[in-house]
């Protein structure tokens, strides 16, 4: 189905311009140009600190429809609205009084940054952005380029990750070009993303005692450990919502982040038994595990060579998955299970999805 969509989009190829942008320089002209493309209903790939986003004017339903078309994304999977600053939140959300202090706290602590808040939406947000849900996902990225483009547009930028549906999220402009080159008019290239994993998605809600809490809909760089320091965290599906029905987290489709090759997860301390005639590549955390020492690998790619730092592994995860996917000597990817703490949780979430069979 995905490939069918893609073949339809592929037929209408266009030239994709890539403009380099250094946020430390004066880039107002480039931001204006990108905003003009968006204002005319075009799509622009724009960097954030997590991954590159495929941006559209959030208030233009036709432009947002193009996002779904170009990505081959099902229309039941809603988009995140990127705002220039926290103040703009009130333009698109109706925050229940009981949750306002918690929202203020989260915004103060984690914005601008890799946190997305799912909140009851205002009428002005088109249905196509939220897939008809009564809530809207909002984010203020710490990346100057996305915020500047949203500021120049004067409206929120609706942007999912700039990859074809179900594929690995792009963390650089060349990765965006591989995914969407020829089907969008403009890519803003500000180099590699500093976080490398998509934002943590939170839904403020009430716990069983009626106190404000957050539900983690997607693990990400704002870890549970960080969240617990400032608020209560309830399990997905727990807690109750105010003035909004419980949205499922449609992005939680099982086979998201899929490389084209099969991917298996394996305990780094347990021996791996290769199948005859299959060529394996290993994605290892540090490169010094008993698993990495086996001689059955055609290729070994460490996420954080030697040092074993989760933050470094997170930044490199998608790029390494892509490199392994493109490696001609490898048929099947084996990835070491990572420590299930902090960013390790978010990475394991992505790896588990990549390991799920495509099309499930
Ligand atoms: O870091 C990120 O979040 C990147 C950058 C570009 O901002 N964006 C991103 O977007 O990862 P996307 O579309 O790939 O993932 C957004 C997720 C989807 O899985 C979607 O289901 C979920 O957010 N989402 C959006 N609106 C929602 C809502 N109202 N309720 C629940 N989940 C929602
Ligand atoms: Mg995505």
């Amino acid at each position: 189905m995905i490939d069918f969509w893609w073949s339809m989009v592929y037929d209408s190829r266009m030239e994709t311009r890539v403009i380099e942008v250094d946020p430390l320089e004066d880039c107002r002209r480039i931001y204006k140009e990108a905003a003009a493309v968006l204002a005319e209903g075009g799509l622009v790939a724009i960097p954030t600190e997590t991954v590159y986003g495929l941006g559209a004017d959030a208030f233009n339903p036709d432009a947002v429809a193009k996002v779904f078309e170009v990505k081959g994304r099902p229309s039941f999977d809603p988009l995140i609205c990127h705002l220039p600053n926290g103040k703009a939140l009130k333009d698109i959300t109706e925050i229940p009084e009981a949750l306002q202090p918690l929202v203020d706290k989260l915004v103060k602590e984690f914005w601008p940054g890799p946190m997305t808040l799912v909140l009851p939406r205002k009428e002005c947000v088109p249905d196509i952005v939220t897939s008809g849900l009564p809530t809207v996902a909002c984010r203020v990225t710490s990346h100057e380029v996305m915020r500047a483009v949203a500021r120049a547009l004067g409206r929120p930028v609706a942007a999912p990750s700039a990859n074809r549906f179900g594929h690995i999220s792009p963390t650089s402009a060349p990765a965006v070009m591989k995914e969407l080159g020829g089907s969008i008019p403009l890519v803003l290239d500000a180099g590699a993303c500093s976080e490398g994993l998509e934002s943590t998605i939170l839904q403020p809600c009430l716990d069983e005692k009626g106190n404000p809490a957050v539900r983690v809909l997607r693990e990400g760089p704002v870890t549970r450990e960080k969240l617990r320091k400032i608020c209560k965290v309830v399990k997905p599906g727990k807690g109750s919502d105010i003035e909004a029905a419980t949205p499922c987290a449609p992005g939680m489709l099982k086979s998201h982040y899929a490389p084209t090759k099969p991917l298996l997860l394996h305990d780094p301390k347990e021996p791996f038994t290769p199948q005859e005639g299959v060529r394996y590549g290993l994605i290892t955390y540090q490169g010094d595990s008993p698993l990495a020492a086996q001689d059955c690998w055609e290729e070994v790619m460490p996420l954080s060579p030697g040092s074993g730092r989760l933050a470094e592994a997170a930044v490199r995860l998608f790029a390494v998955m892509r490199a392994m996917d493109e490696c001609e000597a490898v048929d099947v990817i084996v990835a070491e299970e990572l420590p299930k703490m902090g960013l390790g949780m978010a990475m394991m979430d992505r790896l588990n999805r990549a390991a799920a069979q495509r099309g499930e």
Side-chain angles (χ1 to χ4, degrees):
M1 181 63 189
I2 293 166
D3 291 332
F4 167 70
W5 265 110
W6 181 241
S7 67
M8 290 188 49
V9 173
Y10 216 75
D11 284 343
S12 53
R13 289 183 73 78
M14 61 175 80
E15 195 192 328
T16 302
R17 269 193 315 147
V18 179
I19 303 181
E20 279 185 27
V21 38
D22 177 354
L24 298 177
E25 305 278 316
D26 179 1
C27 299
R28 276 174 292 187
R29 193 187 51 76
I30 299 173
Y31 300 143
K32 264 194 193 156
E33 199 173 329
V37 174
L38 294 174
E40 282 163 18
L43 306 186
V44 183
I46 308 168
T48 79
E49 79 280 41
T50 57
V51 302
Y52 274 68
L54 177 61
D57 175 353
F59 286 175
N60 178 344
D62 292 333
V64 176
K66 278 190 211 160
V67 170
F68 287 93
E69 191 188 325
V70 162
K71 272 183 70 99
R73 177 169 168 135
S75 57
F76 57 75
D77 199 1
L79 307 182
I80 297 175
C81 285
H82 294 75
L83 307 168
N85 52 53
K87 281 192 203 121
L89 197 54
K90 66 175 177 354
D91 300 340
I92 58 170
T93 61
E94 298 278 4
I95 301 170
E97 231 171 86
L99 294 181
Q100 188 71 59
L102 172 63
V103 171
D104 290 344
K105 224 163 142 185
L106 289 165
V107 165
K108 189 160 175 256
E109 192 71 24
F110 298 117
W111 272 358
M115 172 186 74
T116 295
L117 289 178
V118 171
L119 292 163
R121 68 154 155 152
K122 279 209 161 109
E123 283 290 307
C124 59
V125 183
D127 273 340
I128 189 165
V129 173
T130 67
S131 303
L133 289 172
T135 50
V136 58
C138 312
R139 169 154 133 77
V140 178
T141 162
S142 63
H143 205 298
E144 172 60 17
V145 174
M146 175 64 96
R147 281 190 284 126
V149 172
R151 214 179 298 126
L153 178 67
R155 289 187 289 278
V157 175
S161 50
N163 51 283
R164 283 155 59 195
F165 179 66
H167 284 202
I168 302 165
S169 298
T171 52
S172 66
V176 173
M177 285 301 283
K178 276 191 191 141
E179 288 289 320
L180 302 175
S183 54
I184 58 174
L186 182 61
V187 176
L188 298 185
D189 178 358
C193 302
S194 61
E195 293 282 351
L197 280 184
E198 301 90 343
S199 61
T200 304
I201 304 184
L202 302 176
Q203 185 170 32
C205 61
L206 297 180
D207 69 7
E208 66 286 353
K209 292 196 188 117
N211 296 319
V214 291
R215 198 183 283 139
V216 179
L217 299 184
R218 180 172 70 186
E219 307 278 346
V222 175
T223 59
R224 281 167 193 263
E225 287 86 341
K226 285 185 197 164
L227 285 168
R228 281 201 199 97
K229 285 196 186 134
I230 69 157
C231 65
K232 184 164 178 193
V233 179
V234 294
K235 294 213 168 81
K238 294 277 172 177
S240 54
D241 304 310
I242 321 176
E243 294 170 25
T246 306
C248 59
M252 310 294 96
L253 290 173
K254 228 173 148 192
S255 71
H256 250 75
Y257 312 103
T260 57
K261 294 173 185 167
L263 184 144
L264 312 171
L265 273 167
H266 202 81
D267 183 334
K269 292 191 284 306
E270 294 295 325
F272 176 75
T273 315
Q275 265 181 35
E276 189 92 8
V278 180
R279 299 170 307 161
Y280 294 93
L282 178 71
I283 298 179
T284 164
Y285 179 32
Q286 281 173 260
D288 60 355
S289 62
L291 192 63
Q294 282 189 230
D295 61 5
C296 58
W297 313 116
E298 296 297 327
E299 188 70 55
V300 176
M301 296 187 188
L303 292 173
S304 179
S307 56
R309 288 192 309 110
L310 286 170
E312 183 184 28
V315 168
R316 289 169 39 81
L317 179 67
F318 289 150
V320 167
M321 278 166 75
R322 249 171 218 289
M324 205 48 115
D325 208 22
E326 286 165 9
C327 179
E328 280 178 15
V330 169
D331 306 316
V332 172
I333 305 169
V334 177
E336 280 181 7
E337 285 167 3
L338 298 166
K340 289 196 186 74
M341 49 182 276
L343 278 171
M345 292 268 285
M347 282 187 277
M348 278 304 285
D349 168 74
R350 307 314 191 263
L351 285 169
N352 274 315
R353 279 176 223 288
Q357 281 302 305
R358 284 177 70 77
E360 237 179 77

